[in-house]
Amino acid sequence: MATLDELQTMLSVDGYSLSVETADGKTKAVITAGEGICEDCLVPKVVMTGLLAQALDVPAEQITLEYPEEH
């Protein structure tokens, strides 16, 4: 199981950044793509949400995930 830091590191190697905010029992995760990085080349959102749920130890239903093409 990957930690949040490990997920952020793995994404940064490919040119993405991951920010996570938690408030009122809800978690918002936003992934942004760096300059010239493919915005829709990430794993499906359901997979990333599952990874985040494990890393943060929260139910996947409490996570809202935004991918680069959604900004």
Side-chain angles (χ1 to χ4, degrees):
M1 178 169 67
T3 66
L4 180 59
D5 285 342
E6 289 170 335
L7 282 176
Q8 289 172 318
T9 299
M10 288 187 296
L11 286 166
S12 71
V13 167
D14 291 328
Y16 299 96
S17 63
L18 167 65
S19 64
V20 177
E21 295 178 12
T22 302
D24 301 324
K26 299 284 185 185
T27 299
K28 180 178 181 180
V30 178
I31 297 176
T32 54
E35 182 74 28
I37 301 299
C38 176
E39 291 190 355
D40 59 354
C41 294
L42 294 164
V43 297
K45 285 178 79 171
V46 66
V47 174
M48 186 63 72
T49 301
L51 292 170
L52 285 165
Q54 290 178 355
L56 299 169
D57 196 25
V58 299
E61 300 79 34
Q62 292 180 3
I63 299 173
T64 301
L65 176 59
E66 288 184 20
Y67 265 14
E69 69 270 12
E70 298 171 330
H71 299 282

